[in-house]
Amino acid sequence: MTSDRDKNISKLQGIAVSPGIIIGKARLVDRSSVKILYKYLINKEKIHLEVERFKESLRTTKNQIIALKNSMPDQIKSHAFILDAHLMIIDDDMLSDSTVNMIMKEKINAEWALKKSVQNIRQLFDQIDDEYIRERIYDVENVADRILRNLAGKEQNDLFEINERVIIVAHYLSPEDTSSMNIAKVMGFITDVGGLTSHAAIMAKSLKIPAVVGLESVTYHVQDGMLLIVDGNTGEVILNPDDQTIIEYQEKQLRREKYESSMARMSHLPAETVDGHKIAIRANIEFLEEVAAAKDHGAEGIGLYRTEFLYLRSQGIPADEELFEDYRQVAEIMMPDPVTIRTLDLGGDKFLPDLGSANEMNPALGLRAIRFCLKEKYIFRSQLRAILRASVYGKIRMMFPMISGLQEIFEAKGVLMEVMEELDRENIAFDKDIPVGIMIEIPSAVAVADMLAQEVDFFSIGTNDLIQYALAIDRSNEHVAYMYQPFHPAILRMIRQVVTAAKDHELEISLCGEMAGDPLCAGILLGLGIDELSMNATTIPAVKKIIRTISMEDARADLRKIFRLDTATKVREFIVSKMGPLMSELDVMSV
Ligand code: PEP
Ligand code: MG
């Protein structure tokens, strides 16, 4: 990554997170919140003008929200109620009248008065006991931000308002931003910050839009409307390319498309080694809409359904019925293959402002995933209920994320039992033998994997977080992205330890971090004895292809040599040398 601040720079290098080449116009998106610093007094004669300026900004804001509501993409239309709530806030006297009164009484400008009104409202909300109602203040602040932008004449930059095919250029995109993008219009995105396993990056892959993150200063170098080439395979971003460069990349684009269609033709063959050992290849999904693509790419089930994105889309807690419908459909479409639904993993880099974790100093180590669910039990229960109800419509497995030790399993299973009893009392059918598993993604869980194995039906290793916590690197920080090392001997040993514990207790063992979809890792994971690899659907054909070229015997022999190597670099070199001619083919498609 370059840290060069030269405005005339023509090429930047970042981290390639979602493959594909795009050539298009930049849309610079400002996701920073509004900071209106100027405060001034109004002279008496001009007060009515200031009040009118404020009222005009309310009308503009209202019209914007109505337009936004009308143009919401179909997939997220059911969440229009959030915008209705925002419209109600605009009409509510609490915000508008108090601001007008403040302008008149204190003779201050509209921005200043609005800020003061919001502060007063916040104080009132802070005294409310009910956490859910208390945190509606975020909606008030969101609306106030929008009004402030209009007062300042700034554009809102809503991602789903984008109406021409552009490349989004932003300092940062949250998973919430990525999930609300108008995919038909967004060609891809590039950001200053982020790493390979940050959730916005994972989502770009799912949505099949090319993306490069960790460019550090791309928002400084790129102007709105500038022509860009983004190479999601190499991480290169070219600014204002000349004709020759454009032709070169168009040819590259064509080669890639040809390669992809040749791979797609083979994606339905099983992942079976030359000596007849089969491994299950499943897909990671974030949305119901991805199930079809998972099937098309040859997924034999869903190994990881990251359910939090439905909550992010809804910007709140979806109704039980909505959750149930969603899970039922995934299960039915995938039948007879299994679907592993992971319970909520909010926190880390995925927050709902309404749910409080966004203010933590260190969210990756904070109230995340199962910890959050065990605290906010009403949210957990509603999800468990929906999963259980859907379980009679297919082959559903349930998985708890971020388990650090036995106690959390006991508590989570305790809540599960209560919900099961509740359904029994209501005569609602569910799969009483639903397999219950856990993610192994915290080093403490690795250390006690043999104990955890006695309490659950399966393990799934989450290497994205396991690497983050074991090597002490923030997975979304571009400055330490070079330390994301799946081949680190410590990581390989940890995986081996978990596999051994699982095998000793006859548990099925899966791996669902990004490592599962890296063709370079396939041989190691096979040799270690992993039963299932779950990955982004786009990587399934390549991983299957690699597995079909190796033998289990060789994989085990190589593994013995790999465990004698003492650095990640040596392991990588060993694998690259082994893969020989396959490497150049992988270059075309890998990220
Ligand atoms: C992981 O941590 O490897 C994982 C699969 O979960 P997530 O990426 O959703 O944290
Ligand atoms: Mg994880």
Side-chain angles (χ1 to χ4, degrees):
M1 288 136 282
T2 179
S3 55
D4 194 339
R5 305 295 286 183
D6 175 5
K7 267 272 180 195
N8 299 320
I9 206 150
S10 62
K11 196 182 205 176
L12 293 163
Q13 180 66 49
I15 304 164
V17 291
S18 181
I21 293 167
I22 39 174
I23 303 170
K25 273 201 291 181
R27 170 65 61 86
L28 206 52
V29 174
D30 173 14
R31 311 300 297 153
S32 59
S33 67
V34 200
K35 293 185 187 73
I36 305 289
L37 296 172
Y38 46 89
K39 298 174 176 175
Y40 49 86
L41 296 172
I42 307 288
N43 80 41
K44 216 166 151 195
E45 296 74 53
K46 299 234 169 104
I47 283 179
H48 70 283
L49 291 178
E50 193 63 7
V51 169
E52 190 40 48
R53 189 168 79 89
F54 175 66
K55 288 192 172 162
E56 178 60 33
S57 73
L58 289 182
R59 284 190 287 273
T60 313
T61 308
K62 201 166 169 179
N63 290 338
Q64 282 169 347
I65 297 179
I66 293 169
L68 198 59
K69 207 179 130 189
N70 293 337
S71 62
M72 263 177 137
D74 284 345
Q75 308 101 292
I76 53 173
K77 269 221 157 64
S78 57
H79 307 303
F81 66 88
I82 301 158
L83 298 181
D84 286 332
H86 287 190
L87 288 171
M88 279 161 66
I89 293 169
I90 296 180
D91 287 337
D92 198 303
D93 301 347
M94 189 171 57
L95 190 71
S96 58
D97 281 12
S98 76
T99 306
V100 169
N101 288 340
M102 200 127 24
I103 296 172
M104 296 201 301
K105 263 209 225 132
E106 299 189 21
K107 302 184 188 58
I108 57 178
N109 65 320
E111 290 89 342
W112 190 358
L114 180 60
K115 281 266 179 200
K116 284 180 84 165
S117 300
V118 173
Q119 269 161 15
N120 291 344
I121 298 171
R122 180 171 256 293
Q123 276 168 10
L124 292 177
F125 272 70
D126 280 347
Q127 289 159 21
I128 298 172
D129 281 339
D130 184 305
E131 193 175 343
Y132 183 75
I133 300 178
R134 192 172 60 239
E135 291 181 346
R136 306 323 312 158
I137 185 66
Y138 290 114
D139 288 319
V140 177
E141 288 176 342
N142 191 312
V143 170
D145 261 10
R146 203 177 262 279
I147 301 170
L148 280 174
R149 276 181 191 275
N150 285 322
L151 283 167
K154 275 199 171 194
E155 273 194 33
Q156 191 66 33
N157 272 325
D158 276 300
L159 292 180
F160 52 79
E161 268 180 348
I162 285 167
N163 53 14
E164 56 174 333
R165 301 259 304 146
V166 285
I167 299 171
I168 302 290
V169 183
H171 177 67
Y172 166 77
L173 289 174
S174 68
E176 184 195 339
D177 288 328
T178 336
S179 54
S180 60
M181 273 182 186
N182 181 353
I183 302 308
K185 300 293 181 196
V186 173
M187 300 171 77
F189 68 77
I190 54 180
T191 58
D192 289 336
V193 301
L196 192 60
T197 61
S198 54
H199 282 98
I202 291 173
M203 287 194 54
K205 246 196 221 176
S206 307
L207 296 166
K208 287 188 130 190
I209 53 173
V212 174
V213 301
L215 286 151
E216 293 193 351
S217 54
V218 68
T219 48
Y220 174 82
H221 295 293
V222 169
Q223 280 108 46
D224 206 48
M226 184 185 263
L227 187 67
L228 299 178
I229 297 179
V230 175
D231 188 337
N233 305 334
T234 60
E236 272 172 338
V237 173
I238 297 166
L239 284 45
N240 284 326
D242 57 24
D243 290 350
Q244 186 51 38
T245 316
I246 294 176
I247 292 168
E248 223 173 85
Y249 273 86
Q250 280 169 336
E251 283 167 359
K252 241 177 155 179
Q253 238 172 353
L254 277 177
R255 278 201 304 277
R256 190 183 155 79
E257 280 164 18
K258 239 169 103 187
Y259 178 76
E260 267 185 353
S261 53
S262 78
M263 290 289 268
R265 283 195 292 277
M266 298 188 302
S267 62
H268 292 276
L269 299 174
E272 184 173 355
T273 61
V274 290
D275 48 355
H277 185 93
K278 271 200 196 130
I279 180 167
I281 303 290
R282 307 214 158 105
N284 293 353
I285 59 163
E286 285 78 33
F287 301 112
L288 165 67
E289 292 89 328
E290 291 171 74
V291 175
K295 282 194 114 163
D296 285 350
H297 284 85
E300 302 148 356
I302 304 298
L304 170 65
Y305 183 6
R306 291 184 167 100
T307 54
E308 44 283 358
F309 290 90
L310 195 61
Y311 292 69
L312 293 176
R313 257 189 192 178
S314 312
Q315 300 213 346
I317 315 297
D320 290 12
E321 202 56 29
E322 190 188 338
L323 293 174
F324 159 68
E325 263 308 310
D326 186 276
Y327 303 157
R328 180 183 65 80
Q329 287 189 50
V330 176
E332 277 183 353
I333 301 169
M334 287 315 295
M335 266 295 266
D337 291 321
V339 173
T340 302
I341 301 183
R342 180 177 75 183
T343 59
L344 261 186
D345 184 1
L346 284 173
D349 65 349
K350 293 172 291 193
F351 347 92
L352 279 180
D354 283 358
L355 296 179
S357 50
N359 294 330
E360 289 180 332
M361 285 283 285
N362 208 338
L365 302 180
L367 192 61
R368 205 192 138 172
I370 196 72
R371 307 163 184 188
F372 169 80
C373 285
L374 291 174
K375 177 162 181 278
E376 304 294 345
K377 292 221 177 68
Y378 69 103
I379 298 176
F380 194 34
R381 278 171 191 282
S382 111
Q383 188 180 31
L384 295 182
R385 201 178 148 91
I387 298 173
L388 287 172
R389 282 177 62 202
S391 66
V392 287
Y393 294 88
K395 250 175 139 178
I396 292 186
R397 315 194 310 165
M398 183 186 289
M399 177 159 76
F400 300 132
M402 296 281 295
I403 292 289
S404 64
L406 263 186
Q407 189 55 36
E408 281 156 345
I409 299 185
F410 292 145
E411 283 179 43
K413 280 172 76 175
V415 180
L416 179 63
M417 287 309 294
E418 284 167 20
V419 177
M420 284 180 164
E421 280 161 17
E422 189 179 280
L423 289 174
D424 262 340
R425 279 197 299 278
E426 294 169 35
N427 278 328
I428 296 175
F430 63 93
D431 175 4
K432 294 197 162 60
D433 298 316
I434 186 168
V436 176
I438 55 169
M439 300 263 317
I440 303 282
E441 49 187 345
I442 300 185
S444 62
V446 176
V448 295
D450 55 330
M451 298 175 188
L452 306 181
Q454 296 172 40
E455 297 300 327
V456 294
D457 300 311
F458 65 93
F459 281 165
S460 191
I461 306 176
T463 44
N464 302 340
D465 278 314
L466 187 59
I467 295 171
Q468 154 163 271
Y469 296 123
L471 301 186
I473 48 153
D474 176 350
R475 63 193 269 188
S476 45
N477 180 337
E478 70 280 13
H479 300 292
V480 287
Y482 71 96
M483 282 188 69
Y484 167 78
Q485 292 173 346
F487 296 130
H488 193 297
I491 300 301
L492 298 181
R493 285 182 184 194
M494 284 185 170
I495 297 175
R496 183 173 61 180
Q497 188 177 342
V498 178
V499 175
T500 307
K503 299 273 166 192
D504 285 350
H505 293 85
E506 296 176 3
L507 293 197
E508 206 176 288
I509 171 86
S510 151
L511 190 141
C512 63
E514 292 302 286
M515 187 177 176
D518 183 345
L520 290 185
C521 300
I524 294 190
L525 300 177
L526 189 74
L528 277 166
I530 302 272
D531 302 308
E532 168 191 308
L533 293 176
S534 190
M535 63 197 73
N536 201 291
T538 49
T539 55
I540 290 177
V543 172
K544 279 190 166 182
K545 180 169 180 172
I546 298 287
I547 291 173
R548 282 199 299 275
T549 61
I550 43 188
S551 79
M552 189 63 165
E553 204 187 323
D554 285 350
R556 287 195 181 121
D558 285 349
L559 200 64
R560 283 192 286 277
K561 291 181 195 143
I562 285 170
F563 271 104
R564 287 199 287 271
L565 301 173
D566 51 14
T567 65
T569 312
K570 286 184 197 164
V571 175
R572 178 173 282 274
E573 280 167 6
F574 176 84
I575 293 167
V576 169
S577 73
K578 278 272 160 184
M579 291 187 62
L582 264 177
M583 278 309 292
S584 57
E585 224 182 285
L586 289 175
D587 267 355
V588 189
M589 48 69 58
S590 70
V591 291

